[in-house]
Each structure stands twice: as C-alpha cells, then as structure tokens.
Amino acid sequence: MREIIFYKMASGVCPIEDFLDSLSAKHARKVTWVLQLVETLEMVPIQYFKKLEGTDGIWEVRIDFGGDTFRLLGFMDKGNLVVLTNAFAKKSQKTPTSEIELAQQRKTDHLNRGRNK
C-alpha cells in the first residue's frame, strides 16, 4: 500500500490541488480513481504508474480519459509515500523536459524542508 500526498510550496500553495480544481467533474473523478489504484494496488499497471527513465527517481501517474491525457509527476519518499509535485495536460508523446525539471526542483525543495524541521 502507498500513501499519496501533494507537494506544498513554502507559501502553502498546492499545485496539484490547483490542477485538480481546474478539471471538469468527470476528469477529476478519473484522476481520483487512478490515484486510488496507485494507493491500493500492490502492483500498479504501467499504464497508470511508472518511473520515468533518465530521471532521478521521478514517477508519473498516467490518466487517459477519452481524448484527454493528464500526467501527475512526483517521487517516492520513505518507501511507500508518493509525493505528487506537478500536473499537466499532455499534448505530445514525450513528457516535457520542463515538467520533469519542475518535479525535480520540487522534490529537492520538499526533501530539504523536511530535513530542516
């Protein structure tokens, strides 16, 4: 079992909550359903959750709904904790480098702030 939490900036802003609030009710329900799979399934199918190759431990939650594709990026912390850092509507085959870099920056920020508590 995994636990999913949403990254919060030092200011308290939560990018994942903002993203979810921007979705239609149908899209939000599908994202929530996939997040429940990630939390509850021991072996999550790769179509929903996978580690991005060539990154420093960045994982991708994958949501496809009709013709829409969404990705939530994050990282594993303390074994079974998934920290989601950013989300976007995917428009191309390849995950944008800028989104991966943002996830990495937020991972570093989260881990550094956790150590300074």
Side-chain angles (χ1 to χ4, degrees), residues 88-113:
F88 58 97
K90 193 167 178 195
K91 306 278 188 216
S92 65
Q93 284 292 96
K94 192 170 165 95
T95 299
T97 304
S98 60
E99 293 290 346
I100 294 169
E101 289 170 353
L102 181 59
Q104 187 60 55
Q105 289 168 2
R106 290 178 175 170
K107 174 184 176 182
T108 300
D109 175 60
H110 176 84
L111 296 175
N112 286 340
R113 282 192 287 138

Side-chain angles (χ1 to χ4, degrees), residues 11-41:
S11 65
V13 171
C14 181
I16 297 293
E17 286 177 357
D18 292 346
F19 175 78
L20 293 174
D21 289 346
S22 75
L23 298 177
S24 71
K26 286 182 179 182
H27 286 131
R29 277 194 299 275
K30 178 70 177 205
V31 170
T32 301
W33 181 80
V34 172
L35 292 178
Q36 287 175 332
L37 290 179
V38 172
E39 282 190 316
T40 59
L41 294 178

Side-chain angles (χ1 to χ4, degrees), residues 36-91:
Q36 287 175 332
L37 290 179
V38 172
E39 282 190 316
T40 59
L41 294 178
E42 189 172 325
M43 296 293 292
V44 182
I46 197 166
Q47 74 192 63
Y48 299 118
F49 189 58
K50 75 171 201 163
K51 185 174 183 290
L52 291 178
E53 291 183 27
T55 67
D56 183 22
I58 300 299
W59 287 74
E60 177 180 67
V61 178
R62 308 164 62 133
I63 299 101
D64 295 307
F65 187 76
D68 297 312
T69 302
F70 304 107
R71 296 293 186 259
L72 288 74
L73 301 183
F75 61 94
M76 303 293 286
D77 187 21
K78 300 176 186 144
N80 63 349
L81 180 65
V82 179
V83 181
L84 295 178
T85 58
N86 52 309
F88 58 97
K90 193 167 178 195
K91 306 278 188 216

